[in-house]
Amino acid sequence: MKRVWKYILLVFVLLVVSIGGYGIYIFKFKEYDVADPEVEEIIEDPYVITLPDGTEIVVDKEGNIIEERKDEPAEENSDGAQNEDTQSEDPTPSENDPNQVTGDSEQQRLTVAEIKEKYIPSLKELENQANSNLDALIQKAYDEYSAKRANGESIDIGYFYNKYMGAADGLEARTDAAFNALMTIIENELEENGYSKAHAQSLRDDYNAAKEERRSNLLKKAKEYL
């Protein structure tokens, strides 16, 4: 993300100033008032990820799971029929019951591939939220830039650089923290089933590849806007 915002803001720079000692000053040393509630809302919006069992976890910017939500089981009928049906069932499992615990742990244990596969929707959900936040951030930058031009205001490139580079860095860090929180859950399940958490490395590789793709797509969007 950092790289793509450098590209975006470099385009702004090339339109209005030449790079030199003053450019370094306005980018690196000059202080700007970049506080913006709308940008903060984009950055601070917590990630909500649905796990394979239906539990929703809410992850803060530090990667801490601050809330877990799970659907409550269906309530019994007022006449107690559901309870009677449950009690009347034969508690002895059938020999053909596929859910019966046989005592053979190998038959009950999921494979590495099965564990990783069942978390793909959760990882995809995180990716979709990250893409949505990035789109919102680049739209905010474009809208502010366009509004200033339409109003005849001077374009302070250092201001845009510091404001949106900082926002992009914060958003990427928060997305990484949410991803790591989810990966901890996946790695724990691998270890609970007797596998090394190193088997999850391919998921980390896929995540990093997706980040690079988002950077490339954002650069294309920025060029379209300009």
Side-chain angles (χ1 to χ4, degrees):
M1 183 189 302
K2 181 179 296 185
R3 186 183 310 159
V4 75
W5 281 102
K6 285 182 179 177
Y7 290 156
I8 294 169
L9 292 164
L10 181 59
V11 172
F12 288 138
V13 172
L14 293 176
L15 290 173
V16 294
V17 299
S18 61
I19 299 299
Y22 182 68
I24 295 175
Y25 166 70
I26 65 174
F27 288 147
K28 297 298 183 182
F29 300 109
K30 186 176 179 180
E31 294 185 359
Y32 298 88
D33 180 9
V34 296
D36 188 326
E38 292 183 11
V39 171
E40 289 298 319
E41 184 177 357
I42 295 172
I43 297 174
E44 298 297 331
D45 189 27
Y47 281 104
V48 180
I49 305 170
T50 306
L51 300 180
D53 66 355
T55 300
E56 288 185 340
I57 58 172
V58 182
V59 185
D60 68 9
K61 63 181 180 180
E62 303 296 334
N64 300 311
I65 298 175
I66 58 175
E67 185 179 355
E68 293 188 13
R69 309 167 184 165
K70 192 166 186 177
D71 292 338
E72 295 295 330
E75 296 182 0
E76 294 183 1
N77 296 331
S78 58
D79 59 2
Q82 181 176 345
N83 188 49
E84 287 183 10
D85 290 342
T86 301
Q87 293 180 350
S88 64
E89 292 178 354
D90 185 356
T92 303
S94 167
E95 292 182 358
N96 296 324
D97 185 356
N99 296 318
Q100 179 182 353
V101 177
T102 64
D104 186 349
S105 60
E106 290 300 321
Q107 292 184 8
Q108 303 301 317
R109 189 175 68 170
L110 295 175
T111 66
V112 169
E114 288 171 335
I115 293 172
K116 291 163 66 175
E117 181 67 25
K118 75 176 186 174
Y119 282 97
I120 294 301
S122 302
L123 292 164
K124 186 64 176 178
E125 184 178 27
L126 173 61
E127 180 183 359
N128 289 340
Q129 291 180 56
N131 287 337
S132 178
N133 287 335
L134 288 170
D135 286 344
L137 190 58
I138 195 172
Q139 184 65 52
K140 179 68 173 66
Y142 174 74
D143 289 345
E144 183 175 3
Y145 176 78
S146 298
K148 287 182 178 295
R149 289 194 62 183
N151 293 332
E153 300 178 38
S154 62
I155 304 299
D156 190 331
I157 302 305
Y159 162 82
F160 275 91
Y161 181 92
N162 281 272
K163 178 175 182 176
Y164 289 102
M165 272 292 294
D169 288 345
L171 187 56
E172 183 170 87
R174 194 171 62 77
T175 304
D176 288 345
F179 172 75
N180 287 329
L182 180 56
M183 285 301 300
T184 297
I185 294 173
I186 298 172
E187 289 169 350
N188 286 343
E189 183 163 347
L190 284 168
E191 290 185 326
E192 288 170 1
N193 282 271
Y195 306 115
S196 169
K197 65 181 182 181
H199 287 293
Q201 182 59 43
S202 62
L203 298 177
R204 292 187 181 276
D205 294 340
D206 291 343
Y207 173 76
N208 289 326
K211 283 205 300 186
E212 289 297 327
E213 184 177 357
R214 282 197 297 271
R215 289 168 178 165
S216 176
N217 289 338
L218 279 172
L219 179 56
K220 292 178 181 178
K221 289 181 181 181
K223 289 180 177 179
E224 290 173 2
Y225 286 147
L226 295 173

